[in-house]
Amino acid sequence: MAFKDLILGLTSYPEPTPSPAIQSAVSFASVLGCHLAAVACEIHHEVPGSFLSNALIDIPAMAAREAEKSRQNVATLLTAFETVAGKAGLSHERIFEKCFVHEVSDVFVEYGRMRDLMILPAAPSYDQWHAESVIFGTGKPTLILPERVLAETFELNTVMIAWDFSRTAARAIADAIDLLEKAKDVRIVTVQNEKEFDTKRSSEEVAKNLSRHGISVTLENIDAAGRSIGEVLKASAASCDADLLVMGAYGHSRFREFILGGATKSLLSDPPLPIMFSH
């Protein structure tokens, strides 16, 4: 798919999104020539109406202080975004929302459904639910940024694809066609001897399909050798100095919620490079 309209999710509570993520998102959008919106939510807390608890601890006052903290963080984040995007000459907009803390993921999902791609920074465990909700809830691809800042002149020199013949991997390639066409080097990596593949086809068929889009690829089969898929992909990305990893996001449905698969969880919690997940 062609990426024209991207959105960056910024969190304001309990800690604000690290400022390098803003620079990274702008760098990524700039290389694609996209419009980039940034959405940030001012957080409010539901205050229980217990007379006894309010008498012992001034809960409304505590909630007001936390809301003010969130409000200040939102202002700082959106101002920083305006400055960085403006300096880069990028088409951009700011989106301000107010919601309860448990509604942030829903806000991100709703906006993500109306854009081509949502960008989120790698987050600590208390924020990872936002990323999981977006990946499984928007129906659109999600770009997870590493903690390190991307170069101001970010380039798609090498894009690596994690390929295992699955539906989600196929979806990821279809979503990433625009990026693959812009890359100088595309590598399709298949991790062997870690799980069984439900197919008799070869990776060459994928390469043949991409060649018809004018994309020349290198195929690489890597023996897991007792390592997890996440470990193998991290090592492979480092060895070829990949700028971006494209992969399907795996989850298991339970009570209509998704529990992350092992490789997805490993890479989502500590991405060594930008990763585009599709589900």
Side-chain angles (χ1 to χ4, degrees), residues 45-203:
H45 296 269
E46 295 176 294
V47 179
S50 167
F51 173 79
L52 180 59
S53 63
N54 289 343
L56 297 174
I57 304 173
D58 192 348
I59 295 178
M62 291 175 60
R65 285 194 297 270
E66 294 303 294
E68 179 58 28
K69 173 184 173 182
S70 173
R71 185 179 303 113
Q72 292 177 2
N73 287 339
V74 166
T76 299
L77 288 168
L78 292 180
T79 298
F81 170 74
E82 184 79 31
T83 300
V84 175
K87 181 181 177 182
L90 188 68
S91 172
H92 63 279
E93 66 178 301
R94 303 166 19 145
I95 301 173
F96 170 74
E97 291 278 352
K98 292 183 180 181
C99 66
F100 292 116
V101 65
H102 64 274
E103 296 175 329
V104 174
S105 295
D106 295 334
V107 171
F108 284 176
V109 167
E110 289 175 358
Y111 276 104
R113 287 176 178 170
M114 298 181 287
R115 298 301 196 280
D116 299 328
L117 173 82
M118 186 153 207
I119 303 175
L120 294 173
S125 57
Y126 57 74
D127 270 349
Q128 194 164 312
W129 175 246
H130 299 330
E132 295 175 20
S133 298
V134 168
I135 289 171
F136 293 123
T138 61
K140 301 290 184 71
T142 304
L143 181 74
I144 302 297
L145 297 173
E147 290 187 1
R148 65 176 178 82
V149 65
L150 304 185
E152 189 169 347
T153 54
F154 176 68
E155 295 182 358
L156 286 170
N157 291 314
T158 302
V159 175
M160 191 174 104
I161 301 169
W163 175 250
D164 64 355
F165 304 91
S166 67
R167 182 192 65 79
T168 54
R171 180 72 262 167
I173 289 179
D175 286 342
I177 284 291
D178 189 38
L179 302 176
L180 302 180
E181 290 176 340
K182 290 179 171 61
K184 296 178 181 178
D185 179 28
V186 175
R187 307 177 70 85
I188 297 178
V189 174
T190 300
V191 181
Q192 298 181 321
N193 298 320
E194 202 278 340
K195 68 177 183 179
E196 293 292 329
F197 297 130
D198 185 23
T199 182
K200 295 179 181 178
R201 314 302 164 207
S202 67
S203 301

